[in-house]
Amino acid sequence: MAFPTDDALKKSVYLALMQSTKKWTAPIPNWGLILNQFLTIYEKRVQL
């Protein structure tokens, strides 16, 4: 298992996003579709 807890995974994703957003200049293509898929597949783990 790469991440021992959900919090460890959330922290890793958060930190990666913080670093990558410094480089982004355009919105993520199809983000609405991607988010809906995350919500469908991981409905108990993804909270908005």
Side-chain angles (χ1 to χ4, degrees):
M1 180 183 299
F3 300 99
T5 65
D6 284 353
D7 285 338
L9 174 61
K10 289 177 190 177
K11 183 175 182 179
S12 181
V13 170
Y14 172 79
L15 292 172
L17 284 172
M18 290 293 95
Q19 289 299 313
S20 62
T21 54
K22 294 177 183 176
K23 301 174 190 174
W24 287 345
T25 59
I28 300 172
N30 300 316
W31 178 246
L33 176 63
I34 295 166
L35 181 57
N36 283 332
Q37 289 175 354
F38 280 146
L39 291 171
T40 301
I41 297 169
Y42 304 107
E43 67 180 292
K44 293 181 181 178
R45 296 180 77 173
V46 176
Q47 297 175 359
L48 297 178

